Amino acid sequence: MGGKQSRSFSSKELNDVNMSQRRKSVFRDDLPGLSSAAERIRRHTTVHFGYSILSLAMRGLDKTPAELWELKELQKLNLSMNCLGSLPPALAALENLVILNLCSNNLTSLPPEIGLLKKLRVLFACRNRLSEVPEELGSCTCLEVLSLANNQITCLPDSLAAMDNLTKLNLSHNRIAHIPTCVYSMKGLVFLHLACNRLETIADQIQDLVNLKILIVEGNSIHTLPKTLCFIESLELLNVDFNALQSVPGELYQLSRLGRLACHPLDKGLHIIHNPLLKPIQEVLQGGLSALYNYLKPT
């Protein structure tokens, strides 16, 4: 999760923490209100670039240590690659969290209390079993990066429209049939990843994402692109590979920053392979993007 890696817990230390969840915590006289188990966890936090960081990644945890929520000073918490099926409401106690990594667990939901993390800027919840996210997440208006990839999500709550600071949104590998309405209100988006969903269309409101530089919708069933997409002059990468496109909008030439036809997934440009494009577009594309743009430009 960035920064200096925390020292690993030993098996004995983890057992001590887990045992502490089964009995009443013993409180130290010199740290009133802080359990001895919480203090043992605190010893494994690091401070890097001024941030208080704790990593409990890859610990085989099926539930979080109750004492974890006593560490209110934590700003970066990594719980990825465990076996967590849920998070308790006590998550809200970590009011100073800036980055929360929940990737690669078995989470079926996020607690509504996540909306109380007002300082949260980055949330990774990819590779879980989420079918929805709580409306309260929309209260995390400082969020800049949100990854919900590789879940079972079909829609997002309208409350997420309040995320004015969000610049990167990853919704790839879900079950989304229509781009959620709230997404079109995220005016700060620079990166939008919707690959491998169930999309058939893109709404005209896509033009509202005036700062968008990267749009990835490969691996869907999109059969037509709206001409309003061509009004996003900031677009530098447009990936529509593996869809059902037979043609392209006549206004596509306005996307001057695409620059070229791209092949490598990370290359800037237009990605448009593996679509049933009809003639003459299919033939014109053999001459590259400039040939396509010359063909589309009005004479």
Side-chain angles (χ1 to χ4, degrees):
M1 195 169 62
K4 182 178 178 181
Q5 292 293 322
S6 302
R7 183 172 68 82
S8 298
F9 281 125
S10 68
S11 297
K12 181 178 183 303
E13 287 171 320
L14 281 174
N15 286 336
D16 288 345
V17 172
N18 289 333
M19 283 296 292
S20 70
Q21 292 180 268
R22 301 188 182 98
R23 64 175 183 267
K24 186 176 180 180
S25 298
V26 178
F27 290 85
R28 290 171 47 178
D29 293 336
D30 58 334
L31 287 169
L34 184 64
S35 68
S36 58
E39 181 58 25
R40 284 197 295 274
I41 296 177
R42 172 175 279 165
R43 286 200 294 268
H44 296 280
T45 63
T46 62
V47 176
H48 194 59
F49 291 111
Y51 288 98
S52 176
I53 303 170
L54 175 63
S55 177
L56 293 177
M58 295 188 291
R59 304 300 180 206
L61 300 174
D62 57 8
K63 60 181 178 180
T64 52
E67 292 78 10
L68 171 61
W69 315 117
E70 297 180 44
L71 306 183
K72 296 184 179 182
E73 74 278 9
L74 280 182
Q75 293 170 290
K76 298 183 180 183
L77 176 60
N78 188 348
L79 291 169
S80 67
M81 293 179 281
N82 281 292
C83 305
L84 301 174
S86 63
L87 293 173
L91 170 67
L94 302 186
E95 58 188 22
N96 290 303
L97 273 186
V98 174
I99 299 178
L100 177 59
N101 190 342
L102 303 172
C103 288
S104 300
N105 279 283
N106 295 318
L107 297 172
T108 56
S109 64
L110 298 175
E113 290 78 8
I114 198 170
L116 297 175
L117 303 179
K118 302 298 186 181
K119 297 180 181 179
L120 196 63
R121 296 207 304 263
V122 178
L123 174 59
F124 297 119
C126 53
R127 294 187 294 278
N128 277 283
R129 298 167 56 194
L130 301 173
S131 59
E132 60 182 8
V133 295
E135 291 187 6
E136 290 80 1
L137 184 61
S139 296
C140 298
T141 54
C142 287
L143 265 180
E144 299 172 7
V145 178
L146 175 59
S147 178
L148 297 168
N150 295 88
N151 279 286
Q152 302 167 19
I153 294 170
T154 57
C155 62
L156 295 177
D158 291 342
S159 60
L160 269 59
M163 292 183 174
D164 295 332
N165 293 302
L166 199 66
T167 60
K168 297 181 180 179
L169 176 61
N170 191 342
L171 296 171
S172 64
H173 296 86
N174 275 287
R175 301 177 180 178
I176 299 171
H178 304 281
I179 297 178
T181 303
C182 63
V183 172
Y184 298 119
S185 296
M186 299 173 179
K187 301 295 195 297
L189 278 184
V190 173
F191 174 95
L192 178 57
H193 200 337
L194 285 158
C196 301
N197 275 283
R198 300 176 180 179
L199 300 176
E200 295 186 3
T201 60
I202 297 175
D204 287 343
Q205 294 98 304
I206 192 71
Q207 68 179 327
D208 294 338
L209 302 182
V210 294
N211 294 300
L212 199 62
K213 292 184 177 181
I214 298 175
L215 176 60
I216 304 173
V217 291
E218 67 174 315
N220 282 280
S221 300
I222 299 171
H223 51 78
T224 184
L225 296 175
K227 68 177 182 179
T228 55
L229 175 64
C230 306
F231 302 155
I232 308 177
E233 298 179 356
S234 56
L235 266 183
E236 297 176 356
L237 189 159
L238 174 60
N239 191 334
V240 294
D241 288 345
F242 295 96
N243 274 281
L245 296 174
Q246 294 186 341
S247 187
V248 296
E251 296 80 5
L252 191 68
Y253 68 90
Q254 297 181 36
L255 298 179
S256 58
R257 295 193 182 185
L258 292 182
R260 60 174 178 169
L261 292 181
C263 296
H264 189 278
L266 298 179
D267 283 348
K268 292 182 180 180
L270 175 63
H271 301 247
I272 197 170
I273 62 171
H274 297 289
N275 280 280
L277 293 167
L278 301 177
K279 297 179 181 179
I281 297 297
Q282 183 184 53
E283 296 173 338
V284 171
L285 274 171
Q286 294 177 10
L289 189 62
S290 59
L292 176 63
Y293 280 9
N294 288 333
Y295 173 79
L296 295 174
K297 286 179 182 178
T299 55

Coordinates of all heavy atoms in Angstrom, one line a residue, residues 16-57:
D16 N -1.6 -14.6 20.0 CA -1.8 -13.8 21.2 C -3.0 -12.8 20.9 O -3.9 -12.6 21.7 CB -0.6 -13.0 21.6 CG 0.5 -13.9 22.2 OD1 0.1 -15.0 22.6 OD2 1.6 -13.5 22.3
V17 N -2.9 -12.1 19.7 CA -4.0 -11.2 19.4 C -5.3 -11.8 19.2 O -6.3 -11.4 19.7 CB -3.6 -10.4 18.1 CG1 -4.8 -9.6 17.6 CG2 -2.4 -9.6 18.3
N18 N -5.4 -13.0 18.5 CA -6.6 -13.7 18.4 C -7.2 -14.2 19.7 O -8.4 -14.2 19.9 CB -6.4 -14.9 17.4 CG -6.2 -14.4 16.0 OD1 -6.7 -13.4 15.6 ND2 -5.5 -15.2 15.2
M19 N -6.3 -14.7 20.6 CA -6.8 -15.1 21.9 C -7.4 -14.0 22.7 O -8.3 -14.1 23.4 CB -5.6 -15.7 22.7 CG -5.2 -17.1 22.2 SD -6.5 -18.3 22.5 CE -6.5 -18.3 24.3
S20 N -6.9 -12.8 22.4 CA -7.4 -11.6 23.2 C -8.8 -11.3 22.8 O -9.5 -10.6 23.5 CB -6.5 -10.4 22.9 OG -6.6 -9.9 21.6
Q21 N -9.2 -11.7 21.6 CA -10.6 -11.5 21.2 C -11.6 -12.4 21.9 O -12.8 -12.2 21.9 CB -10.7 -11.7 19.7 CG -10.0 -10.7 18.9 CD -10.1 -11.0 17.4 OE1 -9.3 -11.7 16.8 NE2 -11.2 -10.5 16.8
R22 N -11.1 -13.4 22.6 CA -11.9 -14.4 23.2 C -12.1 -14.2 24.7 O -12.7 -14.9 25.4 CB -11.4 -15.8 22.9 CG -11.3 -16.2 21.5 CD -11.0 -17.7 21.3 NE -10.8 -18.0 19.9 CZ -9.7 -18.1 19.3 NH1 -8.6 -17.8 19.9 NH2 -9.6 -18.4 18.0
R23 N -11.3 -13.2 25.2 CA -11.4 -12.9 26.6 C -11.4 -11.4 26.8 O -11.0 -10.7 25.9 CB -10.3 -13.5 27.4 CG -8.9 -13.0 27.0 CD -7.8 -13.6 27.9 NE -6.5 -13.1 27.6 CZ -5.7 -13.7 26.8 NH1 -6.0 -14.8 26.1 NH2 -4.5 -13.1 26.6
K24 N -11.8 -10.9 27.9 CA -11.8 -9.5 28.2 C -10.4 -9.0 28.2 O -9.5 -9.6 28.8 CB -12.4 -9.2 29.6 CG -12.6 -7.7 29.9 CD -13.3 -7.6 31.2 CE -13.5 -6.1 31.5 NZ -14.2 -5.9 32.8
S25 N -10.2 -7.9 27.5 CA -8.8 -7.3 27.4 C -8.3 -6.8 28.7 O -9.1 -6.3 29.6 CB -8.8 -6.2 26.4 OG -9.1 -6.6 25.1
V26 N -7.0 -7.0 29.0 CA -6.4 -6.5 30.2 C -5.8 -5.1 29.8 O -5.1 -4.9 28.9 CB -5.3 -7.4 30.6 CG1 -4.6 -6.9 31.9 CG2 -5.8 -8.8 30.9
F27 N -6.1 -4.1 30.6 CA -5.7 -2.7 30.3 C -4.5 -2.4 31.2 O -4.4 -2.7 32.4 CB -6.8 -1.7 30.6 CG -7.9 -1.8 29.7 CD1 -8.9 -2.7 29.8 CD2 -7.9 -1.0 28.5 CE1 -9.9 -2.8 28.9 CE2 -8.9 -1.1 27.6 CZ -10.0 -2.0 27.8
R28 N -3.5 -1.7 30.5 CA -2.3 -1.4 31.2 C -2.5 -0.1 32.0 O -3.2 0.8 31.6 CB -1.2 -1.2 30.2 CG -0.7 -2.4 29.6 CD 0.3 -2.2 28.4 NE 1.3 -1.2 28.8 CZ 2.2 -0.8 27.9 NH1 2.3 -1.4 26.7 NH2 3.1 0.1 28.3
D29 N -1.8 0.0 33.1 CA -2.0 1.2 34.0 C -1.4 2.5 33.3 O -1.9 3.6 33.4 CB -1.3 1.0 35.3 CG -2.0 0.0 36.1 OD1 -3.2 -0.3 35.9 OD2 -1.3 -0.6 37.0
D30 N -0.3 2.3 32.5 CA 0.3 3.4 31.9 C -0.4 3.9 30.6 O 0.0 4.9 30.0 CB 1.8 3.2 31.6 CG 2.0 2.0 30.7 OD1 1.1 1.1 30.7 OD2 3.1 1.9 30.0
L31 N -1.3 3.1 30.1 CA -2.0 3.4 28.9 C -3.5 3.2 29.1 O -4.1 2.3 28.6 CB -1.6 2.6 27.7 CG -0.2 2.9 27.1 CD1 0.2 1.8 26.1 CD2 -0.2 4.2 26.4
P32 N -4.1 4.1 29.9 CA -5.5 3.9 30.2 C -6.4 3.9 29.0 O -6.2 4.8 28.1 CB -5.8 5.1 31.2 CG -4.8 6.1 30.9 CD -3.6 5.3 30.5
G33 N -7.3 3.0 28.8 CA -8.2 2.9 27.7 C -7.6 2.2 26.5 O -8.3 2.0 25.5
L34 N -6.3 1.8 26.6 CA -5.7 1.1 25.5 C -5.4 -0.3 25.9 O -4.6 -0.5 26.9 CB -4.5 1.8 25.0 CG -3.8 1.2 23.8 CD1 -4.6 1.3 22.5 CD2 -2.4 1.9 23.5
S35 N -5.9 -1.4 25.3 CA -5.7 -2.7 25.7 C -4.3 -3.2 25.4 O -3.6 -2.6 24.5 CB -6.7 -3.7 25.0 OG -6.4 -3.7 23.7
S36 N -3.8 -4.2 26.1 CA -2.5 -4.7 25.9 C -2.4 -5.3 24.5 O -1.3 -5.2 23.8 CB -2.1 -5.7 27.0 OG -3.0 -6.8 27.0
A37 N -3.4 -5.9 24.0 CA -3.4 -6.5 22.7 C -3.3 -5.4 21.6 O -2.6 -5.6 20.6 CB -4.7 -7.4 22.4
A38 N -4.0 -4.3 21.8 CA -3.9 -3.2 20.9 C -2.5 -2.6 20.9 O -2.0 -2.2 19.8 CB -4.9 -2.1 21.3
E39 N -1.9 -2.6 22.0 CA -0.5 -2.1 22.1 C 0.4 -3.0 21.3 O 1.4 -2.5 20.7 CB -0.1 -1.9 23.5 CG 1.3 -1.3 23.7 CD 1.5 0.0 23.0 OE1 0.5 0.8 22.9 OE2 2.7 0.4 22.7
R40 N 0.2 -4.3 21.4 CA 1.1 -5.2 20.7 C 0.9 -5.0 19.2 O 1.9 -5.1 18.4 CB 0.7 -6.7 21.0 CG 1.2 -7.1 22.4 CD 1.2 -8.6 22.5 NE -0.1 -9.2 22.5 CZ -0.9 -9.3 23.6 NH1 -0.5 -8.9 24.8 NH2 -2.1 -9.8 23.5
I41 N -0.3 -4.7 18.7 CA -0.5 -4.4 17.3 C 0.2 -3.1 16.9 O 0.8 -3.0 15.9 CB -2.0 -4.3 17.0 CG1 -2.7 -5.7 17.2 CG2 -2.2 -3.9 15.5 CD1 -4.2 -5.7 16.9
R42 N 0.0 -2.1 17.8 CA 0.6 -0.8 17.5 C 2.1 -0.9 17.3 O 2.7 -0.1 16.5 CB 0.3 0.2 18.7 CG 1.0 1.5 18.6 CD 0.6 2.4 19.7 NE -0.7 3.1 19.3 CZ -1.4 3.7 20.2 NH1 -1.1 3.8 21.4 NH2 -2.5 4.3 19.8
R43 N 2.8 -1.8 18.0 CA 4.2 -1.9 17.8 C 4.6 -2.3 16.4 O 5.8 -2.2 16.1 CB 4.8 -2.9 18.9 CG 4.8 -2.4 20.3 CD 5.8 -3.3 21.1 NE 5.4 -4.6 21.3 CZ 4.6 -5.0 22.3 NH1 4.2 -4.2 23.3 NH2 4.3 -6.3 22.4
H44 N 3.7 -2.8 15.6 CA 4.0 -3.2 14.3 C 3.6 -2.1 13.2 O 3.7 -2.3 12.0 CB 3.3 -4.5 13.9 CG 3.8 -5.6 14.8 ND1 5.0 -6.3 14.5 CD2 3.3 -6.2 15.9 CE1 5.2 -7.2 15.4 NE2 4.2 -7.2 16.3
T45 N 3.2 -0.9 13.7 CA 2.9 0.2 12.8 C 4.2 0.9 12.5 O 5.2 0.8 13.3 CB 1.9 1.2 13.4 OG1 2.5 1.8 14.6 CG2 0.6 0.5 13.8
T46 N 4.2 1.5 11.4 CA 5.4 2.3 11.0 C 5.0 3.7 10.6 O 3.8 4.0 10.4 CB 6.1 1.7 9.7 OG1 5.2 1.7 8.6 CG2 6.6 0.3 10.0
V47 N 5.9 4.6 10.7 CA 5.6 6.0 10.2 C 6.5 6.3 9.0 O 7.7 6.2 9.1 CB 5.9 7.0 11.4 CG1 5.7 8.4 10.8 CG2 5.0 6.7 12.5
H48 N 5.9 6.6 7.9 CA 6.6 6.8 6.7 C 6.0 8.0 6.0 O 4.8 8.1 5.8 CB 6.5 5.6 5.8 CG 7.5 5.6 4.6 ND1 8.8 5.6 4.8 CD2 7.3 5.6 3.3 CE1 9.4 5.6 3.6 NE2 8.5 5.6 2.7
F49 N 6.9 9.0 5.7 CA 6.5 10.3 5.1 C 5.4 10.9 6.0 O 4.4 11.5 5.4 CB 6.0 10.1 3.7 CG 7.1 9.8 2.7 CD1 7.2 8.6 2.1 CD2 8.1 10.7 2.4 CE1 8.2 8.2 1.2 CE2 9.1 10.4 1.6 CZ 9.2 9.2 1.0
G50 N 5.5 10.7 7.3 CA 4.5 11.3 8.2 C 3.2 10.6 8.4 O 2.4 11.0 9.2
Y51 N 3.0 9.4 7.7 CA 1.8 8.7 7.8 C 2.0 7.5 8.7 O 3.0 6.8 8.7 CB 1.4 8.1 6.5 CG 0.8 9.2 5.5 CD1 1.6 9.8 4.6 CD2 -0.5 9.6 5.6 CE1 1.1 10.8 3.7 CE2 -1.0 10.6 4.8 CZ -0.2 11.1 3.8 OH -0.7 12.1 3.0
S52 N 1.0 7.2 9.6 CA 1.0 6.0 10.4 C 0.4 4.9 9.7 O -0.7 4.9 9.2 CB 0.1 6.3 11.7 OG 0.0 5.1 12.5
I53 N 1.2 3.8 9.5 CA 0.9 2.7 8.6 C 0.9 1.4 9.3 O 1.8 1.1 10.1 CB 1.9 2.7 7.4 CG1 1.9 4.0 6.7 CG2 1.6 1.5 6.4 CD1 3.1 4.1 5.7
L54 N -0.1 0.6 9.0 CA -0.2 -0.8 9.5 C -0.6 -1.7 8.4 O -1.6 -1.5 7.7 CB -1.2 -0.9 10.6 CG -1.4 -2.3 11.2 CD1 -0.1 -2.9 11.8 CD2 -2.5 -2.3 12.2
S55 N 0.2 -2.8 8.2 CA -0.2 -3.8 7.2 C -0.5 -5.1 7.9 O 0.4 -5.7 8.7 CB 0.9 -4.0 6.2 OG 0.6 -5.1 5.3
L56 N -1.7 -5.7 7.7 CA -2.1 -7.0 8.1 C -2.4 -7.9 6.9 O -3.2 -8.8 7.0 CB -3.3 -6.9 9.1 CG -3.0 -6.2 10.4 CD1 -4.3 -6.1 11.2 CD2 -2.0 -6.9 11.2
A57 N -1.8 -7.6 5.8 CA -2.0 -8.3 4.6 C -1.5 -9.8 4.7 O -0.5 -10.0 5.4 CB -1.3 -7.6 3.4

